[in-house]
Amino acid sequence: MAEPTSIDGLLAEGQRQIAICNGCRYCEGYCAVFPAMERLPVVGAGDLTYLANLCHDCRACYQACMYAPPHPFGVEIPKLMSEARERSYSEFARPRWFARWFTAGPRAVAALTLAGALVFAFLAWAAGRARGIFAPTESTRTFFDVIPYGLMLVPSLLLTAFLLAVIVWGFIDFQRASRGASHLGARVWLSGLAEVATLRWMRGGGDDCYYPAIERSSPLRRRFHHLTAYGFLAALVSTSLASFYHNVLDLPAPYPVLHPVVLFGLVGGIGMTVGTTGLLWLKARAAPLQARREALLNSSFLVSLNLASTSGLFLLALRDTPAMGALLVLHLGTIVALYVTAPYGKFVHIVYRTAAVLRSAAERAADEAAGGRSAREPAALGRPASTRLP
Amino acid sequence: MAAYDVVVAGGGNAALCAAIAARSRGASVLVLECAPKAWRGGNSKYTRNIRVAHLDGDAVMPGAYSPQEFLSDLVRVTGKDLDQDLASYVVERSLDLPAWMSDQGIRWQPPLRGTLQLARTNRFFLGGGKALMNAYYRRAESLGIAVRYEAPVVELAFEGERCTGVVVAANGSSERVRAGAVVVATGGFEANIEWLREYWGDRVENYAVRGTAYNDGALLRVLLDLGAEARGNPRGHHAIAVDARSPKFEGGIVTRVDSVPFSIVVNIHGDRFADEGEDLWPMRYATWGGLIGAQPEQMAYSIFDSKVAGNFIGGAYPPLIANTVGELAQKAGLPVLRVEETVGEFNRSIVPGEYDPTRLDGCRTIDLSPPKSNWALPIDTPPYYCYPLIPGITFTYLAVAVDRAARVLRESGRPLENVYAAGEIMAGNILLRGYLAGIGMTIGTVFGVVAGEHAAGVRRG
Ligand SMILES: Cc1cc2nc3c(=O)[nH]c(=O)nc-3n(C[C@H](O)[C@H](O)[C@H](O)COP(=O)(O)OP(=O)(O)OC[C@H]3O[C@@H](n4cnc5c(N)ncnc54)[C@H](O)[C@@H]3O)c2cc1C
Ligand code: SF4
Ligand code: SF4
């Protein structure tokens, strides 16, 4: 596929490839994308966004495609979807002016980590605890001896609010543009969220991802992704629990190793470190079927997560040593970078993918309600979807 | 000189099945595929399903499909003069194919809603034929089968009655490979325009070849020259209507156009020439290649209006669109006045009825020649659409005779001792004309396995 130069170019190329898929339909058993294509009489820009975020880049369709290059039809669905996804990330990043001015490349991650660490170092200094960072004394036993609780809490709350606001904003815009289903029944929510939670579409039609090598499928990517995602969740639980213990139960840190806060943090940190390292390792070996910018956003996000979790683990391991103060400041810096870059990087795929999977689940439920045949499926005389005589 | 117990010529379904079966019996195996790796897999990479008999339903095939029913379906489409013995053998052995194929790593697609009809008789490959071929090649690699690409076999070597190996043309020179037995699984000759011209004249110039560009029938010719008995109809080929913008080769499934029964079809003069609504499309689609092939310049144009535009699945190319019939004719390069006349005559001769695309609805014309017997609706609602059509060849029927062990039979009736044939190159024993969806892969898989197993039993001389 030639690199399209404009949104119109990408849409026209998308329509061309999707028309071929719709005439073929050999891949409809792999994922939700192909049945979703079949329901579209005309593919608009919003539809392409929807399809792109429904695609999990498992590459099963690519290895199965007799029209992939060098065939002159040049069908490369994973690449097309990657280009369109990347477009949607920048299109729905809010606020727009901020997003335009700022993208979450590796340099941004590094710069923000550094800036975040400096801010916290400054806060520590302002609170008169600067010595806790580099020259710990007997009295710097806990994190709050380095940075007072309030100074840690307020920035995190602000960052979290920023992240949530930007994400909800993007989600709403995305739903509107991709014509996401607005009224989802409980069943659709349940089945859709279950598909998201299990990474259903990374299993293909029973095959795993053809990743990193196109030649054979492997469950590794799904497993590393699970480790990363559930590791992230566990870390969130740990943080929330910590503030619950601190504020509600009035039991401030540090906690013993077998304490739920520490256990969740430990499990989450290990999961994320192993998961992101694994994903980066696979990525380095993967066939080049991703838009260059999406690949960049992807690695930056993985590196950012990896820095946050790894520094967190070190902090836990070395919290009783003189290195604790410096590690804490560094760790907080990585968290700042993670939170600030999240809405402009690969993190948002969680939001858009969920929205897309929900729309697909709603469409599938509607098909079923309509007696197992989608409204736009051609009549028997034409071609029932799978009847391919030679 | 390299030497193997079994050398397989070809790189499609039949070839890989033969190679895997032979290797599983302990033979050393070399596969010689003439296509480059990126184009491996012959016509098989364009397929989607295989027809198999089964006594019970399972997760992918609802209900039973008995060997008797399979056989009678086969006889119905191709006629009673098929080789009854080989046909019933294929049907019987098809019972074992799903298990054997699954063991090689083939994955199946469960029937999607609305496709239960065909799923009872045919198993669908998850991802289609290229995914199937990839799985077979993966299996071959893990079994230690040697595969060479860009390695066309041009000749079989003999010492007396025994085949001693093959000659491969590579990089401008030729090379001999010794073999205890040879399996020829090189498909038909549908990509050999010169050969087709012998039977069809110059008109084949204008045909598209839907499958691989590499099936030139070279080894079919070699076998016939060695005295192998010919079976099947040399003039016969399966051809359908494909988009005139299709590439000359390798268009596969997506160049197919299914608008015919919803449209009128005119030739370059703007005249209709056949009944577009004679029967349900799956019954008639394979006659349209021949019908269009008989028209001047082998071109035709399917014209319909927006009322029926959503009634069938489109293909790789968008239709021409215009707001009047005249403008459409102009875009298609057709004589405007004549096309307008043809559409007018057609519209005026329609008997009102209840249009129903799912059955023979009897919406027809009267006093029109040729008639349109079903689904005749006036073409009067813009925008108007047109697909330009040419014939596209799917496969040929000329074959070499084989016995139940897949050994090639000579005209004398005696088999060539250690030369086997599998797939389209011998399908003409069983399928002489017509087509039954999925039967090509059934024949290729059964005889591929049989050929491989027998070939592995022959020790190197
Ligand atoms: C578009 C399309 C769709 C079809 N769909 C179906 C379907 O769904 N189900 C079904 O049952 N059938 C289908 N068919 C028919 C089916 O493709 C054939 O029956 C089947 O593939 C034949 O298998 P084969 O192994 O004999 O030949 P092929 O798969 O064509 O393989 C022939 C191989 O031999 C190689 N070769 C040729 N000459 C030489 C030489 N001299 N030396 C070395 N190698 C050589 C070629 O490169 C090729 O790899 C379809 C056909 C087409 C064109
Ligand atoms: S095989 Fe290729 S053209 Fe067909 S549905 Fe899959 S990706 Fe699309
Ligand atoms: S890459 Fe995977 S998820 Fe994406 S369209 Fe292809 S098969 Fe579907």
Side-chain angles (χ1 to χ4, degrees):
Chain A
M1 167 182 148
E3 295 273 325
T5 48
S6 65
I7 293 202
D8 288 347
L10 183 64
L11 182 59
E13 176 60 16
Q15 287 167 335
R16 185 189 73 81
Q17 291 195 29
I18 289 169
I20 294 174
C21 289
N22 256 336
C24 167
R25 305 193 171 186
Y26 282 13
C27 290
E28 65 192 352
Y30 279 130
C31 71
V33 174
F34 295 92
M37 283 178 187
E38 290 164 20
R39 292 186 198 98
L40 296 167
V42 198
V43 180
D47 298 314
L48 188 57
T49 300
Y50 159 55
L51 296 173
N53 282 284
L54 194 55
C55 167
H56 286 51
D57 193 26
C58 78
R59 303 175 177 194
C61 62
Y62 187 81
Q63 66 83 38
C65 189
M66 55 282 186
Y67 299 123
H71 196 288
F73 286 173
V75 175
E76 286 183 289
I77 296 300
K79 185 129 182 242
L80 171 76
M81 295 303 171
S82 176
E83 302 266 357
R85 258 193 318 272
E86 191 275 305
R87 281 275 155 71
S88 69
Y89 294 166
S90 51
E91 194 180 335
F92 298 105
R94 297 289 182 268
R96 251 200 199 129
W97 58 268
F98 193 59
R100 232 191 318 254
W101 165 77
F102 171 89
T103 42
R107 250 176 288 161
V109 170
L112 280 164
T113 304
L114 204 66
L118 284 177
V119 167
F120 279 102
F122 172 78
L123 291 176
W125 172 78
R129 315 259 171 99
R131 273 161 45 80
I133 302 177
F134 295 112
T137 60
E138 265 306 288
S139 61
T140 46
R141 305 284 297 279
T142 80
F143 300 160
F144 309 127
D145 295 329
V146 181
I147 296 169
Y149 183 69
L151 287 184
M152 224 189 285
L153 183 71
V154 173
S156 352
L157 283 182
L158 284 177
L159 277 177
T160 309
F162 164 76
L163 183 60
L164 284 179
V166 171
I167 281 174
V168 170
W169 191 354
F171 180 80
I172 291 171
D173 278 0
F174 178 86
Q175 282 282 88
R176 196 172 303 143
S178 70
R179 293 191 277 125
S182 44
H183 301 292
L184 303 174
R187 250 197 53 207
V188 169
W189 272 104
L190 274 182
S191 62
L193 291 181
E195 284 169 15
V196 173
T198 56
L199 294 178
R200 165 71 186 80
W201 301 113
M202 271 200 187
R203 279 180 189 278
D207 264 358
D208 278 300
C209 295
Y210 284 78
Y211 187 98
I214 297 293
E215 284 75 33
R216 59 191 68 244
S217 65
S218 149
L220 277 183
R221 186 198 211 178
R222 184 165 41 83
R223 296 202 177 133
F224 284 135
H225 190 292
H226 273 316
L227 280 174
T228 307
Y230 287 101
F232 184 72
L233 276 186
L236 275 187
V237 169
S238 162
T239 315
S240 316
L241 270 182
S243 73
F244 175 76
Y245 275 94
H246 192 114
N247 298 312
V248 182
L249 304 183
D250 210 13
L251 289 169
Y255 306 105
V257 171
L258 286 180
H259 191 277
V261 169
V262 178
L263 281 181
F264 271 105
L266 192 63
V267 169
I270 292 175
M272 272 195 286
T273 300
V274 175
T276 52
T277 307
L279 286 173
L280 283 165
W281 175 72
L282 290 180
K283 204 168 188 39
R285 276 154 191 74
L289 275 176
Q290 224 176 9
R292 223 172 343 117
R293 240 184 64 86
E294 194 193 20
L296 186 77
L297 294 184
N298 210 334
S299 329
S300 310
F301 177 54
L302 288 173
V303 167
S304 182
L305 265 185
N306 191 290
L307 287 178
S309 58
T310 314
S311 60
L313 286 177
F314 270 106
L315 182 59
L316 184 63
L318 304 178
R319 64 182 176 173
D320 294 326
T321 73
M324 182 268 273
L327 276 174
L328 176 65
V329 166
L330 185 70
H331 179 61
L332 290 172
T334 65
I335 302 282
V336 169
L338 185 63
Y339 272 58
V340 174
T341 55
Y344 312 107
K346 185 68 192 180
F347 179 84
V348 292
H349 82 284
I350 303 171
V351 182
Y352 303 151
R353 190 144 289 163
T354 304
V357 169
L358 283 171
R359 172 172 165 191
S360 150
E363 288 177 353
R364 277 174 277 142
D367 281 359
E368 243 161 72
R373 186 170 260 258
S374 92
R376 297 195 186 96
E377 196 168 305
L381 177 59
R383 279 190 266 181
S386 289
T387 311
R388 281 297 185 284
L389 308 163
Chain B
M1 194 190 310
Y4 292 83
D5 295 333
V6 176
V7 166
V8 180
N13 175 61
L16 271 280
C17 289
I20 290 167
R23 182 80 192 105
S24 302
R25 295 235 161 158
S28 63
V29 180
L30 170 68
V31 171
L32 295 167
E33 157 69 298
C34 69
K37 186 173 181 188
W39 292 98
R40 73 184 183 191
N43 283 352
S44 305
K45 69 174 167 297
Y46 292 107
T47 65
R48 171 151 216 197
N49 59 45
I50 183 169
R51 183 171 292 249
V52 293
H54 50 108
L55 304 176
D56 298 303
D58 67 8
V60 268
M61 298 186 87
Y65 185 51
S66 70
Q68 295 83 324
E69 192 184 350
F70 187 164
L71 194 59
S72 70
D73 284 346
L74 180 57
V75 173
R76 185 166 40 74
V77 299
T78 203
K80 286 208 170 55
D81 48 341
L82 83 178
D83 185 324
Q84 289 276 357
D85 179 57
L86 289 185
S88 33
Y89 185 57
V90 163
V91 165
E92 275 304 319
R93 295 242 2 200
S94 78
L95 286 165
D96 309 327
L97 292 186
W100 187 85
M101 293 171 74
S102 299
D103 287 347
Q104 314 314 323
I106 305 305
R107 291 184 177 280
W108 308 101
Q109 182 184 308
L112 294 180
R113 287 153 299 145
T115 65
L116 294 180
Q117 198 62 34
L118 200 65
R120 189 177 71 86
T121 55
N122 289 48
R123 278 180 102 83
F124 288 80
F125 318 132
L126 181 66
K130 173 128 180 241
L132 171 104
M133 290 314 303
N134 286 345
Y136 277 140
Y137 276 99
R138 272 198 295 276
R139 177 74 176 150
E141 186 181 305
S142 71
L143 287 174
I145 293 170
V147 177
R148 274 175 60 186
Y149 299 103
E150 301 177 56
V153 177
V154 290
E155 237 177 277
L156 302 184
F158 278 84
E159 270 169 28
E161 290 286 282
R162 252 188 109 71
C163 177
T164 55
V166 301
V167 179
V168 186
N171 315 323
S173 67
S174 61
E175 183 190 329
R176 286 192 56 172
V177 178
R178 286 191 74 83
V182 174
V183 179
V184 183
T186 51
F189 63 100
E190 56 275 336
N192 189 332
I193 304 294
E194 287 312 310
W195 194 343
L196 291 171
R197 199 199 304 273
E198 287 177 27
Y199 306 121
W200 288 86
D202 289 338
R203 68 158 77 158
V204 294
E205 284 295 325
N206 297 327
Y207 283 40
V209 176
R210 301 175 63 215
T212 176
Y214 293 91
N215 284 0
D216 64 2
L219 283 186
L220 175 59
R221 185 74 96 189
V222 164
L223 288 176
L224 292 172
D225 289 348
L226 279 169
E229 185 189 340
R231 286 279 166 84
N233 176 5
R235 300 180 62 86
H237 61 240
H238 184 278
I240 67 165
V242 298
D243 199 294
R245 295 160 287 185
S246 306
K248 182 75 184 169
F249 298 99
E250 313 268 3
I253 201 80
V254 299
T255 56
R256 204 178 125 175
V257 177
D258 287 339
S259 60
V260 169
F262 302 98
S263 70
I264 60 168
V265 179
V266 302
N267 59 20
I268 54 169
H269 302 309
D271 297 324
R272 288 177 63 248
F273 54 88
D275 183 348
E276 301 89 348
E278 196 177 1
D279 200 348
L280 291 170
W281 186 233
M283 308 296 159
R284 301 303 294 157
Y285 80 103
T287 59
W288 276 82
L291 287 171
I292 297 169
Q295 293 305 306
E297 291 176 27
Q298 291 70 52
M299 282 286 296
Y301 300 82
S302 169
I303 295 174
F304 53 98
D305 71 3
S306 58
K307 290 198 299 296
V308 297
N311 281 2
F312 56 91
I313 297 176
Y317 301 95
L320 309 177
I321 307 178
N323 281 320
T324 65
V325 170
E327 194 191 324
L328 190 69
Q330 199 179 6
K331 277 194 177 172
L334 289 169
V336 174
L337 291 180
R338 181 58 197 139
V339 172
E340 284 174 340
E341 251 169 50
T342 302
V343 171
E345 279 165 22
F346 170 74
N347 286 353
R348 281 192 299 279
S349 59
I350 290 169
V351 200
E354 203 176 310
Y355 173 76
D356 181 352
T358 62
R359 58 177 183 86
L360 296 172
D361 67 356
C363 283
R364 64 194 169 83
T365 57
I366 43 164
D367 293 338
L368 187 70
S369 174
K372 184 173 180 185
S373 311
N374 291 284
W375 314 295
L377 288 181
I379 298 174
D380 58 6
T381 312
Y384 300 95
Y385 298 92
C386 172
Y387 283 111
L389 308 175
I390 55 170
I393 304 170
T394 319
F395 53 79
T396 48
Y397 291 88
L398 178 62
V400 294
V402 296
D403 64 10
R404 269 189 183 223
R407 282 186 303 183
V408 176
L409 297 175
R410 281 181 296 192
E411 273 157 358
S412 61
R414 272 197 314 141
L416 287 168
E417 225 176 284
N418 56 346
V419 179
Y420 301 81
E424 205 171 305
I425 195 169
M426 47 63 65
N429 289 273
I430 294 156
L431 193 74
L432 291 83
R433 63 187 73 79
Y435 189 67
L436 194 60
I439 188 83
M441 296 300 272
T442 317
I443 296 171
T445 311
V446 166
F447 274 93
V449 171
V450 167
E453 287 175 351
H454 281 90
V458 182
R459 296 259 66 97
R460 218 178 321 157

